Amino acid sequence: MAAKSLTHDAVSTLIANPSPNSSSVLPEIVVQVLDLKPSGNRYMFNASDGTKKLRAILPSNVSSEVHSGSIQNLGLIRILDYTVNDIPNKSEKYLIVTSCEPVSPALEMEIRSDGSRDEGGVKSEGGAGILLKPKQEVVTKSAVQILHEQRGNSAPAARMAMTRRVRPLVSLNPYQGNWTIKVSVTSKGNMRTYRNARGEGCVFNVELTDEEGTQIQATMFNDAARKFFDKFVLGKVYYISKGTLKVANKQFKTVQNEYEMTLNESSEVEEVAGEASFVPETKFNFVQIDQLGPFVNKLELVDVVGVVKNVSSTMSIRRKSDNESIPKRDITIADETKKTVVVSLWNDLATNTGQELLDIADSSPIVAIKSLRVGDFQGVSLSTISRSVVLINPDIPEARRLRSWYDLEGKDAAMDSVGSGSSPTSNTGIRSVYSDRVSLSHITSNPSLGDVKPEVFSIRGYISFVKPDQAMWYRACKTCNKKVTESIGSGYWCEGCQKSDEQCRLRYIMVAKVCDASGEAFVSVFNDEAEKIVGCPADELDDLKSQEGEDNPYQLKLKQATWVPHVFRVSVTQNEYNNEKRQRITARAVVPVDFAAESRIMLEYISKMRS
Amino acid sequence: MDTSNPAAFVNAELLHFYVGRRVRALTQVVRSDGGIVIGKSTDEKQLVVKGSPPPAPLTTFVEVFGIVNNDKSITPDIWTNFGDAVDMVSYNKLCQLAHGEYKHLFL
């Protein structure tokens, strides 16, 4: 430390011994280089010891050090060999530095020992970095000097606010770069790595909120990300400046702001000392489990609250994009709608929060989760993202309500998975009747749909007609459902099971006319779906058919099926028939209309039309 | 069909636009006693209906047709039971759309 400080009264020492003998031992002389300027191939400067200054020259052999940057203006040098000469015709002296070595690069400012060396002793250190001037001095310093001080890395934040006015977040725009904001970190994402055409990188975002409540998302890449990741702590307050703003990408919008901020390495982030850190109370907007349908595969995130019925163990999933292994845990939650849904917790939520839930699973804890993505696995599924927040047994009214419902009736109630009402396994995979929703005319107006491979859509429509005299069913083997033929003798022969059976079952295979606001189409319907449309199994309908009488109950039954609305999952393929390509629509699943869910879908269409 | 006095779809917030006029509002019954029914409107605010419901029991959700009084309560004409499960949010959105951009379709 002492080596790095200015030698007290160095100038006097130099002057007192103007021509030192090269063999004598020189005292330690360290001076600060001020006003360094080139003169020919030499450099002139003022050597300062904090009290006095002496004009000095760095001869050409030393110039290279200046060029290389090891000797800098405002830096410190140790004088190893020198001569002090008089300036002709003046009473001043000047110093020729024949040999020196740099001690420190440029300091923040000129060091002055203005007689306040006794205070704190900090002054005489003159070390590289900050000069913490005693408070009284601030009053006498000029604005320029205060600004000089601020360039230090650890300048107390108070000075930042003093000279730079803090602006409200709402006033930021990309056209004015000189701003400082005071914000708290209300959300901090994980560090993500990515690979693109330019190579690899890492990125993370934070959500910042200022005192007025305005929010903005800030993103950092690569070096800036690494620099600031540990600095940003959820709940703490920071002064931030020198970020760049650009119009936010609405697709990835997480907060309400037209702009989003990017921080790079030259941005400044300073923690505000003494500001109480707070994590704002998480605001929830819960969606009941049975209302999740319309959100499937949409960008909108949902919040849910429910009783934890099951917690799985941690699984490790390998991400295809970069082969990274991520922990995952599935929990099943239920709410008063008596529906259950599986929530996949990822990363930390799987390992830490998930473990917590597993430990207390027997007590049927209530869990409230914010910002979930809705997927269509097994009909409807929920998945956490980096900004999801999971609260266990939170102290909010919805949780209390759930608790009392569960204790009274919920724990014994029979529950259904919310996805199961939608679509059973079919050869197109498990899908929800809320995804790929189209109008009938979309299908009928496009004859080439499904020519390569079957295309799947969902439709809401009415049965407009079921032709009574069509071949409604086929005789099926009771074991394998394949078509049976009448065998010689009695009974029916099943080719698949290679056996004969006295009895067979009738299974539906029929065509129904379906219509919606846009048009109508014939849809082929197989047994399970037809049963839902007609309302009874084929065997029963056959009985009704064979009944004679005025009011044929068979016709009546079919009539009752008309004008009933359903939501269908259909697949569209191309069939060749007499050298003609025909579109064939087959119902893969039929579910009753959930009017609340359909209303939501329609509201979404309306808002899409308006925007 | 008498279209001379159409009732506007309202929630608590929109009531003051229709004072003295005929409205319809969905409400979740909170309390019903002595000639007054207190309910929760579709936008989560209190709705006061000054009238006695018909003798048949009220379900949890009820839609009321009536005139809006000066004190923003409703004097009911017709009570319709909506059952025990109704999506209040959709009704609320309907009120907002019917009052705003699409008012000409309704009134």
Side-chain angles (χ1 to χ4, degrees), chain A residues 348-606:
Chain A
D348 279 340
L349 290 174
T351 39
N352 302 329
T353 321
Q355 186 61 44
E356 235 186 286
L357 284 173
L358 184 62
D359 292 336
I360 56 170
D362 289 333
S363 66
S364 301
I366 310 276
V367 69
I369 315 181
K370 184 167 181 68
S371 308
L372 288 166
R373 188 145 286 155
V374 188
D376 62 4
F377 186 65
Q378 301 207 311
V380 178
S381 62
L382 296 171
S383 192
T384 59
I385 55 174
S386 62
R387 49 195 299 261
S388 300
V389 177
V390 177
L391 296 183
I392 305 182
N393 286 322
D395 189 15
I396 49 177
E398 289 87 352
R400 287 191 281 275
R401 220 188 34 228
L402 259 179
R403 175 98 269 148
S404 45
W405 162 79
Y406 191 71
D407 290 338
L408 288 172
E409 65 161 298
K411 60 177 181 275
D412 305 312
M415 307 261 192
D416 250 341
S417 157
V418 63
S420 65
S422 318
S423 175
T425 331
S426 63
N427 44 4
T428 57
I430 301 167
R431 288 278 176 155
S432 159
V433 287
Y434 296 111
S435 43
D436 315 304
R437 183 65 72 89
V438 296
S439 59
L440 267 174
S441 61
H442 174 91
I443 299 179
T444 52
S445 63
N446 191 351
S448 63
L449 276 177
D451 51 1
V452 176
K453 68 173 191 128
E455 289 197 42
V456 182
F457 303 99
S458 65
I459 290 208
R460 173 166 61 93
Y462 292 82
I463 303 286
S464 56
F465 187 50
V466 179
K467 202 153 133 194
D469 34 295
Q470 58 170 305
M472 279 239 192
W473 43 66
Y474 67 99
R475 291 191 189 279
C477 167
K478 286 167 96 160
T479 333
C480 70
N481 285 337
K482 281 210 184 338
K483 180 169 172 182
V484 294
T485 47
E486 282 179 3
S487 66
I488 319 136
S490 67
Y492 304 95
W493 168 258
C494 173
E495 199 57 52
C497 303
Q498 289 286 312
K499 67 174 177 56
S500 222
D501 200 330
E502 271 294 315
Q503 299 185 325
C504 66
R505 206 183 302 174
L506 290 175
R507 283 176 68 80
Y508 282 117
I509 175 163
M510 60 139 97
V511 166
K513 203 165 189 193
V514 176
C515 81
D516 70 1
S518 70
E520 57 181 7
F522 282 103
V523 177
S524 305
V525 191
F526 290 106
N527 193 63
D528 296 337
E529 291 73 43
E531 266 190 36
K532 292 193 192 153
I533 292 176
V534 174
C536 67
D539 287 310
E540 206 180 298
L541 196 62
D542 186 39
D543 282 338
L544 292 177
K545 188 169 186 182
S546 51
Q547 285 177 26
E548 290 298 327
E550 276 290 312
D551 303 311
N552 189 326
Y554 169 74
Q555 303 258 15
L556 186 63
K557 193 85 182 172
L558 291 181
K559 257 203 185 141
Q560 285 172 333
T562 32
W563 305 119
V564 176
H566 299 277
V567 177
F568 303 85
R569 188 87 188 142
V570 296
S571 68
V572 183
T573 54
Q574 293 258 316
N575 275 352
E576 211 167 293
Y577 193 71
N578 284 349
N579 285 341
E580 235 180 64
K581 283 217 196 280
R582 282 250 200 110
Q583 190 179 65
R584 187 182 153 125
I585 309 174
T586 312
R588 296 262 170 238
V590 172
V591 295
V593 172
D594 175 349
F595 290 95
E598 298 296 321
S599 299
R600 300 281 176 111
I601 291 177
M602 287 199 271
L603 282 168
E604 217 184 281
Y605 283 156
I606 293 177

Side-chain angles (χ1 to χ4, degrees), chain A residues 47-96:
Chain A
S48 160
D49 66 356
T51 328
K52 300 205 211 87
K53 290 204 189 93
L54 183 58
R55 285 169 68 166
I57 292 185
L58 290 174
S60 36
N61 57 315
V62 187
S63 300
S64 55
E65 303 230 38
V66 179
H67 289 144
S68 68
S70 24
I71 297 182
Q72 300 172 352
N73 191 33
L74 292 181
L76 300 178
I77 55 171
R78 179 179 296 113
I79 300 180
L80 301 172
D81 200 2
Y82 67 92
T83 308
V84 178
N85 285 342
D86 295 305
I87 299 178
N89 303 326
K90 292 203 184 151
S91 59
E92 278 185 58
K93 302 214 186 275
Y94 70 93
L95 168 75
I96 304 173

